[in-house]
Amino acid sequence: MMRLDLRKIWTSSFTRFVQGTTWQRVIIAVVYFLLFTFLIASNLFVSKLNIEVGDPSPQYIPAPWDKNIEDIEKYHRDQEEAAKAVQPVYNPDEDYISSLAQDLSQAFTALHDAMNSAQDTRLAKLKQTQPFALMAEGDLSALMRTPAEDLNSAEDTVTAIIIGRARNLDSGARTQADVAALKGKIMKDTEQSALSDPLKKFVQTFINAKVNRPTLLLDEQATEKLRNQARAEVKLEVHRYKAGQKIVGIGDIIDESTYAVLAAYGLIDNRTPWRSTAGIALIVLGGMAAIAVYVLQYKRANLEFKKMVLIGLTMALVLITGKGIIALNLGGAEYNALAGMLIPVAWATMSIAILVDVEAALLGSVVLAVFVALLGDPTLAMSSGIQVGLVALFGGLVGVHSVSHLSQRSDLARAGLYISAVNVLTVSGIALMSGMRLTVWAVGVLLGIVNGLASSVFTVGTLHWFESGFNITSAVRLLELSNPNRPLLKRLLMEAPGTYHHSILVGNLAESAAEVVNADAALVRVGSMYHDIGKLKRPYFFIENQFAQDNPHDKIAPTLSALIITSHVKDGLELGKENKLPQPIMDIIAQHHGDSLVSFFYHKAKEENEDVPEEAFQYDGPRPQSKEAALVCLADSVEAAVRSMKQPTPGRIEGLVRKIIKDKLNDGQLDQCDLTFQDLDRIAMAFVRVLTGIFHSRVEYPDLPTRGGNHASNAAEGTTSEDAKASGAPVEAYEASDSKEA
């Protein structure tokens, strides 16, 4: 028993799960998320090699297209080697060398002064000057015994040795490490000179004390100039590859030059694709979340689940198409980067605007532009993805605007031209900013024009299939249904002309009212044209089709008359189903009388039998569920009632219109649609405007004599509505809801 109960519980839970819609929404969302992520990120896993220099090639790789491969890395490497080979330029450090010469001159001057001083103060006075303080007294005594004439020539010799070696570009010290070598050279020159030993001792002490830093300075400007000259002399190696030419075979070791060729073709990507894929997944999730939040926040009541599926499908089709377009080879890397500009994003945005919602299409344009940018460059490593995204964004937005008020097929053709124009402007702006070559810009302009025209063609070609597959009625479909040559409308004109013209007037009334309450004016007008097609089954039982004939209702019971009158709704639904009318039109046919009462025949029946049930004289309903159905309901009753007025003056028309609307409101016929009291007032004013124009007063023309002396009556201008009535019952007895049917 327990096992049986658990089985029933599981079966019941599974049934509720399958019959619900929440799980369907979740599954569809997950499918679209995975599909979008796969389409955008798939380029990260194909056509890219994760190899390094020295690795064996995992496959045979030919050149994808003709290309001049410039070995940029080797070129830069050779330039740097040439620059390094340039010897740096050094100049003497004149400030330091001047200070050395000055110190040397001061030392000899001090030596002369000491030699001319008193004998007992010579040494003490001499030791007050560098470098004599560092010398031994014996060396100083020997130095002061040098003859004066030898001392003068010695100063010239020592200065020439020290300053000459310090200033010389070959022997001078360039760095601190070269100072010791400079000192050694100076001492060697001193040893080889004719100087006395005391003077040699003096020179050694001087250079040890004073020569303690580099005597040459690096001339960076001159050195860099020479290096630049060396770099400029390096030639760039260019290798011409033909399409299909072998780059590397299976198992061949990838050397630096081969690696450079593969990189130039964009065939190498050493980064792990999963990190980039995770980033793409987050962006896709953000885009889908933006659309979902917008719908839940602002369009929950208007956008059905099937329309959300349609939005995802159009976006997926664009990405799939874009996937193939990006794989096109346009003959070069610069041109191939422009291939994404062919992706017809406006195809999706225009389809969404026509079939779903304009505001949703605008948001979809932004999201889809981001997706297309990532499709063109999944890692955002180059500017090509951003360029493709900009073209997609502006083209998509202009496409939405072009079809937001679609009223004829030519609007779709013009939309393609508008998209092409904005694509040309966008490509031109990108070219100016990026310094694009003229030929590349011309190709981009051509691709932008093709994009716009293709988007228009694709929209026209797929619109029917989207409408049929998702059971959505677009403005284009409504335009087709409004053609007077449609079979049902043609039959209505030929078999029930009174009903046909009544439907046209109802359409005029309802359309004018739809414009003031933000309803779908096209749907209202077309729905009005078809709302009474059920009268084709028994046209002469309706007064507008009784031309100088007896009223058949005078010969049958009121209950049968009411049954015939109310059955035109059911007959209309059957005809609509046979002719595959869209569901919104079928809803208007079913709801344009609601569950109102056929009061004329009900009161007539009550005169014969007080106990007659009211339900037998009511329409089956349902009551109007939308603004559009309610407008047709009101326009239908108002047109019939005003047509039956004897003297339709503007004041009487307005009074009757407001009375009919009030009666419908009090009867509850407007309870299930979202019309407000303010809307009803606007509807009444719109009705009055149209009816006043239709039933305006006319001048009665006098009889004019003919050529034969007879009088011709211009009866057409002076007839009243009473002359056309076939029923013997007074017009005032007809209520607004059934005055035309009786």
Side-chain angles (χ1 to χ4, degrees):
M1 180 66 70
M2 180 63 70
R3 181 179 298 175
L4 182 61
D5 291 339
L6 290 175
R7 184 175 181 179
K8 287 182 178 180
I9 293 172
W10 184 89
T11 303
S12 176
S13 301
F14 180 77
T15 302
R16 287 195 302 271
F17 176 76
V18 172
Q19 292 176 348
T21 58
T22 301
W23 70 274
Q24 295 175 350
R25 296 170 188 261
V26 172
I27 289 179
I28 290 295
V30 171
V31 169
Y32 277 140
F33 168 73
L34 295 177
L35 179 61
F36 294 160
T37 304
F38 168 75
L39 290 173
I40 297 173
S42 56
N43 281 344
L44 298 172
F45 296 88
V46 295
S47 302
K48 299 284 186 179
L49 297 174
N50 187 359
I51 55 177
E52 298 286 352
V53 174
D55 293 342
S57 174
Q59 64 189 62
Y60 173 82
I61 305 174
W65 57 80
D66 292 352
K67 185 176 179 63
N68 290 328
I69 304 296
E70 299 173 346
D71 196 341
I72 301 297
E73 291 188 5
K74 184 177 184 301
Y75 175 64
H76 290 318
R77 190 166 55 249
D78 291 344
Q79 282 186 320
E80 292 308 311
E81 289 178 357
K84 288 180 181 179
V86 171
Q87 293 296 324
V89 177
Y90 285 89
N91 294 321
D93 188 350
E94 296 296 344
D95 293 338
Y96 179 54
I97 292 175
S98 296
S99 68
L100 284 178
Q102 185 177 1
D103 291 343
L104 188 60
S105 177
Q106 290 176 353
F108 274 97
T109 299
L111 183 58
H112 280 290
D113 292 343
M115 292 175 66
N116 295 326
S117 300
Q119 185 71 30
D120 56 345
T121 61
R122 288 181 179 181
L123 290 179
K125 187 175 182 180
L126 191 59
K127 283 192 174 185
Q128 294 177 357
T129 305
Q130 292 292 344
F132 301 112
L134 302 176
M135 296 178 64
E137 290 186 3
D139 294 333
L140 288 177
S141 297
L143 183 61
M144 284 189 292
R145 287 194 294 270
T146 304
E149 58 275 10
D150 292 342
L151 194 62
N152 292 331
S153 62
E155 181 178 356
D156 295 336
T157 301
V158 172
T159 301
I161 293 173
I162 296 177
I163 302 304
R165 281 293 184 179
R167 189 186 297 276
N168 188 281
L169 298 179
D170 294 327
S171 60
R174 298 181 176 184
T175 64
Q176 191 66 38
D178 295 336
V179 173
L182 173 62
K183 290 180 178 180
K185 292 176 182 178
I186 293 174
M187 286 305 303
K188 184 177 179 181
D189 291 344
T190 302
E191 290 294 333
Q192 294 176 353
S193 67
L195 295 174
S196 62
D197 289 340
L199 285 172
K200 292 180 179 178
K201 286 279 187 179
F202 162 72
V203 172
Q204 181 179 3
T205 304
F206 180 86
I207 64 174
N208 286 334
K210 298 295 183 177
V211 181
N212 49 23
R213 74 180 207 189
T215 60
L216 301 178
L217 293 177
L218 175 65
D219 189 340
E220 295 183 357
Q221 185 174 1
T223 302
E224 188 62 27
K225 182 178 180 180
L226 292 176
R227 288 173 178 172
N228 289 335
Q229 291 176 353
R231 292 188 184 101
E233 293 174 358
V234 176
K235 301 298 182 181
L236 175 63
E237 296 182 10
V238 179
H239 303 283
R240 176 69 176 173
Y241 278 83
K242 293 286 187 179
Q245 179 180 344
K246 174 185 174 182
I247 298 177
V248 66
I250 300 177
D252 292 347
I253 300 300
I254 305 293
D255 56 20
E256 291 186 359
S257 61
T258 304
Y259 187 90
V261 173
L262 295 175
Y265 274 108
L267 300 176
I268 292 179
D269 189 354
N270 292 324
R271 294 171 295 180
T272 174
W274 292 109
R275 183 173 180 178
S276 298
T277 301
I280 290 173
L282 291 177
I283 294 176
V284 170
L285 184 62
M288 294 181 63
I291 295 177
V293 169
Y294 169 78
V295 170
L296 293 175
Q297 186 73 21
Y298 300 105
K299 300 290 181 179
R300 181 189 293 267
N302 298 332
L303 291 189
E304 307 169 58
F305 174 60
K306 64 181 180 182
K307 292 184 178 180
M308 295 299 296
V309 175
L310 176 60
I311 292 175
L313 177 60
T314 55
M315 295 176 69
L317 289 176
V318 168
L319 291 178
I320 292 172
T321 305
K323 186 77 175 168
I325 289 174
I326 288 177
L328 294 175
N329 178 13
L330 301 182
E334 287 181 299
Y335 302 112
N336 290 339
L338 302 178
M341 294 181 181
L342 272 176
I343 301 176
V345 171
W347 165 33
T349 61
M350 287 194 293
S351 298
I352 296 172
I354 295 171
L355 298 173
V356 182
D357 180 77
V358 171
E359 294 176 355
L362 291 174
L363 179 58
S365 300
V366 177
V367 174
L368 196 52
V370 174
F371 289 177
V372 167
L374 292 176
L375 187 66
D377 182 14
T379 60
L380 296 179
M382 299 178 291
S383 61
S384 59
I386 297 176
Q387 295 175 2
V388 170
L390 287 174
V391 173
L393 175 63
F394 293 119
L397 292 175
V398 170
V400 173
H401 175 73
S402 301
V403 300
S404 58
H405 298 288
L406 186 67
S407 59
Q408 50 190 353
R409 285 187 178 274
S410 60
D411 290 343
L412 287 172
R414 279 196 294 270
L417 297 178
Y418 295 152
I419 297 167
S420 297
V422 77
N423 285 348
V424 170
L425 291 177
T426 306
V427 172
S428 300
I430 292 172
L432 291 174
M433 290 187 294
S434 62
M436 192 180 291
R437 291 191 297 115
L438 185 61
T439 54
V440 179
W441 168 81
V443 171
V445 167
L446 178 62
L447 296 180
I449 294 173
V450 173
N451 182 328
L453 299 179
S455 297
S456 177
V457 171
F458 287 168
T459 303
V460 174
T462 57
L463 202 56
H464 170 74
W465 302 106
F466 287 153
E467 287 179 334
S468 302
F470 290 88
N471 194 24
I472 297 175
T473 304
S474 69
V476 176
R477 176 63 173 152
L478 291 175
L479 290 174
E480 294 173 348
L481 290 173
S482 65
N483 187 343
N485 290 320
R486 299 288 298 186
L488 277 179
L489 295 182
K490 201 165 186 178
R491 279 189 61 194
L492 197 64
L493 175 62
M494 301 302 296
E495 300 175 24
T499 300
Y500 177 85
H501 291 290
H502 157 74
S503 299
I504 297 299
L505 291 177
V506 170
N508 292 338
L509 287 170
E511 185 177 18
S512 65
E515 292 173 354
V516 299
V517 295
N518 295 322
D520 190 337
L523 174 59
V524 165
R525 176 164 52 85
V526 179
S528 299
M529 298 175 72
Y530 286 89
H531 80 286
D532 272 346
I533 57 173
K535 294 180 180 179
L536 282 171
K537 193 168 185 178
R538 305 176 190 86
Y540 296 109
F541 277 87
F542 300 88
I543 192 170
E544 69 266 22
N545 299 315
Q546 296 169 7
F547 302 106
Q549 297 181 14
D550 294 335
N551 191 338
H553 291 288
D554 295 338
K555 302 175 182 179
I556 60 178
T559 52
L560 181 57
S561 293
L563 180 62
I564 293 172
I565 295 298
T566 57
S567 65
H568 85 277
V569 174
K570 183 182 70 173
D571 296 336
L573 291 173
E574 292 176 356
L575 278 173
K577 187 175 181 180
E578 291 174 5
N579 287 268
K580 298 181 180 179
L581 293 181
Q583 190 58 44
I585 304 296
M586 298 287 282
D587 291 339
I588 289 176
I589 294 173
Q591 300 167 18
H592 78 278
H593 279 299
D595 58 0
S596 59
L597 182 68
V598 187
S599 56
F600 176 77
F601 292 111
Y602 174 66
H603 291 299
K604 187 175 180 180
K606 288 199 69 172
E607 293 175 359
E608 300 175 4
N609 181 8
E610 284 289 338
D611 298 330
V612 64
E614 186 175 309
E615 292 79 8
F617 295 86
Q618 284 183 320
Y619 287 94
D620 294 334
R623 295 175 179 179
Q625 306 292 306
S626 63
K627 283 184 178 182
E628 290 75 16
L631 290 174
V632 175
C633 172
L634 294 174
D636 184 38
S637 299
V638 165
E639 196 280 334
V642 174
R643 181 188 292 272
S644 302
M645 294 180 68
K646 289 183 178 180
Q647 296 179 349
T649 63
R652 296 187 65 191
I653 289 175
E654 182 173 359
L656 182 58
V657 168
R658 293 190 179 277
K659 179 181 182 302
I660 292 171
I661 294 177
K662 181 179 179 182
D663 290 343
K664 290 291 184 184
L665 182 63
N666 292 337
D667 191 34
Q669 298 302 315
L670 306 179
D671 290 351
Q672 297 177 14
C673 64
D674 53 352
L675 290 175
T676 65
F677 287 116
Q678 188 177 32
D679 288 338
L680 294 178
D681 180 67
R682 292 173 178 170
I683 291 168
M685 295 305 298
F687 284 170
V688 170
R689 265 196 317 272
V690 176
L691 291 170
T692 302
I694 296 174
F695 297 102
H696 58 275
S697 59
R698 299 193 179 196
V699 177
E700 185 173 353
Y701 289 86
D703 291 340
L704 299 176
T706 63
R707 293 182 181 181
N710 297 324
H711 291 274
S713 174
N714 201 337
E717 298 294 337
T719 55
T720 67
S721 59
E722 292 297 311
D723 299 322
K725 293 186 172 55
S727 175
V731 174
E732 287 77 2
Y734 291 73
E735 293 294 331
S737 62
D738 61 356
S739 58
K740 70 183 192 309
E741 283 83 356

